[in-house]
Amino acid sequence: MIAEFRSKQFISFLFAGGFAAVVNFGSRFFYNEYMSFGNAVIVAYITGMITAFVLTKLFVFEKSIHSTKKEFFYFTLVNIVAIAQTYIISIGFAGYVFPYMEFTFYPEAVAHAMGVVFPVFTSYFGHKYFSFRRRY
């Protein structure tokens, strides 16, 4: 399993996901001008997810057994789990943990960054074995 995280595919996934995470994280600041923090986190996540799908399909996984439409459907299912992780961590730290700790250094930004990073490993395996599944 450790070798899996040294593979070219996982490294490519990290780059694609990293770029999508920057889109996710950066777009949240824009969206936050027009909606609440919680809603901005969700809309930013969707923006990042669409970016991630395109990059992952093009540069990470080989042709799967699914049509593009099914890939996107399964990709979305995997990301529903990830968005729940992102939301719970972001809101949990920004609304509960950081105030309890009296942490005041950009608490929403730090909490959101933590929430975006968390689902990297669960998403990789979900996409490899579900969204972009190949015949083995």
PDB file of all heavy atoms in Angstrom, residues 20 24 34 49-50 65 68 70-71 77 86 89 95 100-101 111 129-130 133 135:
ATOM      1  N   ALA A  20      -6.618  21.737  -8.267  1.00  0.00           N
ATOM      2  CA  ALA A  20      -8.047  21.868  -8.001  1.00  0.00           C
ATOM      3  C   ALA A  20      -8.291  22.424  -6.597  1.00  0.00           C
ATOM      4  O   ALA A  20      -9.213  23.209  -6.382  1.00  0.00           O
ATOM      5  CB  ALA A  20      -8.748  20.522  -8.178  1.00  0.00           C
ATOM      6  N   ASN A  24     -10.339  25.584  -5.528  1.00  0.00           N
ATOM      7  CA  ASN A  24     -11.334  25.483  -4.462  1.00  0.00           C
ATOM      8  C   ASN A  24     -11.083  26.552  -3.397  1.00  0.00           C
ATOM      9  O   ASN A  24     -11.950  27.372  -3.099  1.00  0.00           O
ATOM     10  CB  ASN A  24     -11.259  24.071  -3.863  1.00  0.00           C
ATOM     11  CG  ASN A  24     -12.183  23.836  -2.690  1.00  0.00           C
ATOM     12  OD1 ASN A  24     -12.697  24.759  -2.066  1.00  0.00           O
ATOM     13  ND2 ASN A  24     -12.364  22.581  -2.347  1.00  0.00           N
ATOM     14  N   TYR A  34     -20.311  37.117  -1.521  1.00  0.00           N
ATOM     15  CA  TYR A  34     -21.716  37.086  -1.918  1.00  0.00           C
ATOM     16  C   TYR A  34     -22.583  36.134  -1.101  1.00  0.00           C
ATOM     17  O   TYR A  34     -23.799  36.115  -1.286  1.00  0.00           O
ATOM     18  CB  TYR A  34     -21.823  36.707  -3.400  1.00  0.00           C
ATOM     19  CG  TYR A  34     -21.031  37.647  -4.270  1.00  0.00           C
ATOM     20  CD1 TYR A  34     -19.759  37.310  -4.713  1.00  0.00           C
ATOM     21  CD2 TYR A  34     -21.533  38.900  -4.602  1.00  0.00           C
ATOM     22  CE1 TYR A  34     -19.016  38.181  -5.490  1.00  0.00           C
ATOM     23  CE2 TYR A  34     -20.800  39.785  -5.378  1.00  0.00           C
ATOM     24  CZ  TYR A  34     -19.536  39.410  -5.819  1.00  0.00           C
ATOM     25  OH  TYR A  34     -18.804  40.295  -6.576  1.00  0.00           O
ATOM     26  N   MET A  49     -14.145  20.713  -7.608  1.00  0.00           N
ATOM     27  CA  MET A  49     -14.462  19.358  -8.040  1.00  0.00           C
ATOM     28  C   MET A  49     -14.544  19.254  -9.564  1.00  0.00           C
ATOM     29  O   MET A  49     -14.033  18.300 -10.150  1.00  0.00           O
ATOM     30  CB  MET A  49     -15.786  18.904  -7.422  1.00  0.00           C
ATOM     31  CG  MET A  49     -16.105  17.454  -7.703  1.00  0.00           C
ATOM     32  SD  MET A  49     -17.699  16.957  -7.035  1.00  0.00           S
ATOM     33  CE  MET A  49     -18.755  17.394  -8.400  1.00  0.00           C
ATOM     34  N   ILE A  50     -15.147  20.229 -10.198  1.00  0.00           N
ATOM     35  CA  ILE A  50     -15.228  20.217 -11.664  1.00  0.00           C
ATOM     36  C   ILE A  50     -13.824  20.333 -12.256  1.00  0.00           C
ATOM     37  O   ILE A  50     -13.474  19.618 -13.204  1.00  0.00           O
ATOM     38  CB  ILE A  50     -16.166  21.328 -12.169  1.00  0.00           C
ATOM     39  CG1 ILE A  50     -17.609  20.991 -11.760  1.00  0.00           C
ATOM     40  CG2 ILE A  50     -16.049  21.508 -13.687  1.00  0.00           C
ATOM     41  CD1 ILE A  50     -18.598  22.124 -11.931  1.00  0.00           C
ATOM     42  N   ILE A  65     -13.595   1.726 -17.584  1.00  0.00           N
ATOM     43  CA  ILE A  65     -14.650   0.901 -18.165  1.00  0.00           C
ATOM     44  C   ILE A  65     -15.955   1.684 -18.319  1.00  0.00           C
ATOM     45  O   ILE A  65     -16.908   1.191 -18.897  1.00  0.00           O
ATOM     46  CB  ILE A  65     -14.894  -0.373 -17.316  1.00  0.00           C
ATOM     47  CG1 ILE A  65     -15.370  -0.009 -15.916  1.00  0.00           C
ATOM     48  CG2 ILE A  65     -13.651  -1.246 -17.286  1.00  0.00           C
ATOM     49  CD1 ILE A  65     -15.826  -1.196 -15.084  1.00  0.00           C
ATOM     50  N   THR A  68     -17.858   8.711 -20.055  1.00  0.00           N
ATOM     51  CA  THR A  68     -17.551   9.962 -19.360  1.00  0.00           C
ATOM     52  C   THR A  68     -18.703  10.368 -18.452  1.00  0.00           C
ATOM     53  O   THR A  68     -18.489  10.842 -17.331  1.00  0.00           O
ATOM     54  CB  THR A  68     -17.230  11.079 -20.362  1.00  0.00           C
ATOM     55  OG1 THR A  68     -16.088  10.687 -21.128  1.00  0.00           O
ATOM     56  CG2 THR A  68     -16.941  12.398 -19.667  1.00  0.00           C
ATOM     57  N   LYS A  70     -20.851   8.393 -16.889  1.00  0.00           N
ATOM     58  CA  LYS A  70     -20.811   7.556 -15.687  1.00  0.00           C
ATOM     59  C   LYS A  70     -19.613   7.929 -14.814  1.00  0.00           C
ATOM     60  O   LYS A  70     -19.708   7.920 -13.587  1.00  0.00           O
ATOM     61  CB  LYS A  70     -20.760   6.073 -16.043  1.00  0.00           C
ATOM     62  CG  LYS A  70     -22.103   5.486 -16.349  1.00  0.00           C
ATOM     63  CD  LYS A  70     -22.006   3.979 -16.460  1.00  0.00           C
ATOM     64  CE  LYS A  70     -23.381   3.399 -16.685  1.00  0.00           C
ATOM     65  NZ  LYS A  70     -23.345   1.937 -16.794  1.00  0.00           N
ATOM     66  N   GLU A  71     -18.480   8.213 -15.430  1.00  0.00           N
ATOM     67  CA  GLU A  71     -17.312   8.629 -14.656  1.00  0.00           C
ATOM     68  C   GLU A  71     -17.654   9.858 -13.813  1.00  0.00           C
ATOM     69  O   GLU A  71     -17.313   9.910 -12.628  1.00  0.00           O
ATOM     70  CB  GLU A  71     -16.133   8.959 -15.571  1.00  0.00           C
ATOM     71  CG  GLU A  71     -15.450   7.779 -16.182  1.00  0.00           C
ATOM     72  CD  GLU A  71     -14.405   8.173 -17.204  1.00  0.00           C
ATOM     73  OE1 GLU A  71     -14.389   9.344 -17.672  1.00  0.00           O
ATOM     74  OE2 GLU A  71     -13.594   7.300 -17.555  1.00  0.00           O
ATOM     75  N   LEU A  77     -20.224  11.033  -6.720  1.00  0.00           N
ATOM     76  CA  LEU A  77     -20.524  10.245  -5.513  1.00  0.00           C
ATOM     77  C   LEU A  77     -19.335  10.203  -4.555  1.00  0.00           C
ATOM     78  O   LEU A  77     -19.491  10.387  -3.341  1.00  0.00           O
ATOM     79  CB  LEU A  77     -20.940   8.822  -5.890  1.00  0.00           C
ATOM     80  CG  LEU A  77     -22.284   8.654  -6.584  1.00  0.00           C
ATOM     81  CD1 LEU A  77     -22.538   7.180  -6.895  1.00  0.00           C
ATOM     82  CD2 LEU A  77     -23.411   9.225  -5.741  1.00  0.00           C
ATOM     83  N   THR A  86     -14.827  17.708   4.069  1.00  0.00           N
ATOM     84  CA  THR A  86     -14.358  19.093   3.978  1.00  0.00           C
ATOM     85  C   THR A  86     -15.233  20.029   4.807  1.00  0.00           C
ATOM     86  O   THR A  86     -14.727  20.858   5.569  1.00  0.00           O
ATOM     87  CB  THR A  86     -14.354  19.562   2.503  1.00  0.00           C
ATOM     88  OG1 THR A  86     -13.472  18.723   1.761  1.00  0.00           O
ATOM     89  CG2 THR A  86     -13.918  21.009   2.374  1.00  0.00           C
ATOM     90  N   ILE A  89     -14.936  19.359   8.723  1.00  0.00           N
ATOM     91  CA  ILE A  89     -13.657  19.841   9.251  1.00  0.00           C
ATOM     92  C   ILE A  89     -13.600  21.365   9.225  1.00  0.00           C
ATOM     93  O   ILE A  89     -13.215  22.002  10.209  1.00  0.00           O
ATOM     94  CB  ILE A  89     -12.485  19.211   8.478  1.00  0.00           C
ATOM     95  CG1 ILE A  89     -12.406  17.721   8.849  1.00  0.00           C
ATOM     96  CG2 ILE A  89     -11.166  19.913   8.783  1.00  0.00           C
ATOM     97  CD1 ILE A  89     -11.531  16.912   7.955  1.00  0.00           C
ATOM     98  N   GLY A  95     -15.791  27.037  13.630  1.00  0.00           N
ATOM     99  CA  GLY A  95     -16.888  27.386  14.532  1.00  0.00           C
ATOM    100  C   GLY A  95     -16.750  26.903  15.956  1.00  0.00           C
ATOM    101  O   GLY A  95     -17.362  27.472  16.866  1.00  0.00           O
ATOM    102  N   TYR A 100     -12.650  27.823  20.758  1.00  0.00           N
ATOM    103  CA  TYR A 100     -12.307  27.224  22.052  1.00  0.00           C
ATOM    104  C   TYR A 100     -10.828  27.433  22.366  1.00  0.00           C
ATOM    105  O   TYR A 100     -10.448  27.723  23.500  1.00  0.00           O
ATOM    106  CB  TYR A 100     -12.652  25.729  22.048  1.00  0.00           C
ATOM    107  CG  TYR A 100     -12.262  25.026  23.318  1.00  0.00           C
ATOM    108  CD1 TYR A 100     -13.051  25.150  24.464  1.00  0.00           C
ATOM    109  CD2 TYR A 100     -11.109  24.254  23.388  1.00  0.00           C
ATOM    110  CE1 TYR A 100     -12.694  24.519  25.646  1.00  0.00           C
ATOM    111  CE2 TYR A 100     -10.743  23.621  24.557  1.00  0.00           C
ATOM    112  CZ  TYR A 100     -11.538  23.750  25.686  1.00  0.00           C
ATOM    113  OH  TYR A 100     -11.180  23.124  26.845  1.00  0.00           O
ATOM    114  N   MET A 101      -9.981  27.299  21.334  1.00  0.00           N
ATOM    115  CA  MET A 101      -8.535  27.472  21.500  1.00  0.00           C
ATOM    116  C   MET A 101      -8.128  28.945  21.491  1.00  0.00           C
ATOM    117  O   MET A 101      -6.961  29.254  21.691  1.00  0.00           O
ATOM    118  CB  MET A 101      -7.785  26.764  20.360  1.00  0.00           C
ATOM    119  CG  MET A 101      -7.937  25.275  20.326  1.00  0.00           C
ATOM    120  SD  MET A 101      -7.236  24.543  18.816  1.00  0.00           S
ATOM    121  CE  MET A 101      -5.584  25.189  18.798  1.00  0.00           C
ATOM    122  N   ALA A 111      -9.052  26.898   8.706  1.00  0.00           N
ATOM    123  CA  ALA A 111     -10.002  25.789   8.831  1.00  0.00           C
ATOM    124  C   ALA A 111     -10.369  25.233   7.457  1.00  0.00           C
ATOM    125  O   ALA A 111     -10.431  24.012   7.262  1.00  0.00           O
ATOM    126  CB  ALA A 111     -11.252  26.250   9.568  1.00  0.00           C
ATOM    127  N   TYR A 129     -10.624   3.120  -7.857  1.00  0.00           N
ATOM    128  CA  TYR A 129     -11.353   1.853  -7.866  1.00  0.00           C
ATOM    129  C   TYR A 129     -12.850   1.991  -8.143  1.00  0.00           C
ATOM    130  O   TYR A 129     -13.551   0.990  -8.227  1.00  0.00           O
ATOM    131  CB  TYR A 129     -11.124   1.116  -6.543  1.00  0.00           C
ATOM    132  CG  TYR A 129      -9.681   0.728  -6.373  1.00  0.00           C
ATOM    133  CD1 TYR A 129      -8.878   1.366  -5.432  1.00  0.00           C
ATOM    134  CD2 TYR A 129      -9.103  -0.251  -7.172  1.00  0.00           C
ATOM    135  CE1 TYR A 129      -7.541   1.023  -5.282  1.00  0.00           C
ATOM    136  CE2 TYR A 129      -7.765  -0.599  -7.040  1.00  0.00           C
ATOM    137  CZ  TYR A 129      -6.994   0.038  -6.096  1.00  0.00           C
ATOM    138  OH  TYR A 129      -5.664  -0.306  -5.956  1.00  0.00           O
ATOM    139  N   PHE A 130     -13.328   3.213  -8.313  1.00  0.00           N
ATOM    140  CA  PHE A 130     -14.747   3.410  -8.532  1.00  0.00           C
ATOM    141  C   PHE A 130     -14.986   4.315  -9.746  1.00  0.00           C
ATOM    142  O   PHE A 130     -15.476   3.855 -10.764  1.00  0.00           O
ATOM    143  CB  PHE A 130     -15.372   3.992  -7.257  1.00  0.00           C
ATOM    144  CG  PHE A 130     -16.865   3.991  -7.219  1.00  0.00           C
ATOM    145  CD1 PHE A 130     -17.595   2.828  -7.359  1.00  0.00           C
ATOM    146  CD2 PHE A 130     -17.548   5.178  -7.011  1.00  0.00           C
ATOM    147  CE1 PHE A 130     -18.980   2.835  -7.313  1.00  0.00           C
ATOM    148  CE2 PHE A 130     -18.930   5.199  -6.959  1.00  0.00           C
ATOM    149  CZ  PHE A 130     -19.643   4.019  -7.111  1.00  0.00           C
ATOM    150  N   ARG A 133     -12.473   3.296 -12.778  1.00  0.00           N
ATOM    151  CA  ARG A 133     -12.126   1.875 -12.675  1.00  0.00           C
ATOM    152  C   ARG A 133     -11.750   1.299 -14.044  1.00  0.00           C
ATOM    153  O   ARG A 133     -12.406   1.550 -15.048  1.00  0.00           O
ATOM    154  CB  ARG A 133     -13.324   1.117 -12.099  1.00  0.00           C
ATOM    155  CG  ARG A 133     -13.048  -0.317 -11.868  1.00  0.00           C
ATOM    156  CD  ARG A 133     -14.200  -0.954 -11.145  1.00  0.00           C
ATOM    157  NE  ARG A 133     -14.058  -2.391 -11.300  1.00  0.00           N
ATOM    158  CZ  ARG A 133     -15.048  -3.192 -11.548  1.00  0.00           C
ATOM    159  NH1 ARG A 133     -16.274  -2.736 -11.636  1.00  0.00           N
ATOM    160  NH2 ARG A 133     -14.830  -4.468 -11.694  1.00  0.00           N
ATOM    161  N   ARG A 135     -10.454  -2.325 -16.191  1.00  0.00           N
ATOM    162  CA  ARG A 135     -10.526  -3.802 -16.146  1.00  0.00           C
ATOM    163  C   ARG A 135      -9.169  -4.291 -15.676  1.00  0.00           C
ATOM    164  O   ARG A 135      -8.136  -3.849 -16.156  1.00  0.00           O
ATOM    165  CB  ARG A 135     -10.793  -4.373 -17.530  1.00  0.00           C
ATOM    166  CG  ARG A 135     -12.192  -4.134 -17.984  1.00  0.00           C
ATOM    167  CD  ARG A 135     -12.474  -4.977 -19.255  1.00  0.00           C
ATOM    168  NE  ARG A 135     -13.507  -4.358 -20.038  1.00  0.00           N
ATOM    169  CZ  ARG A 135     -14.801  -4.449 -19.779  1.00  0.00           C
ATOM    170  NH1 ARG A 135     -15.206  -5.118 -18.739  1.00  0.00           N
ATOM    171  NH2 ARG A 135     -15.674  -3.847 -20.543  1.00  0.00           N
TER     172      ARG A 135
END
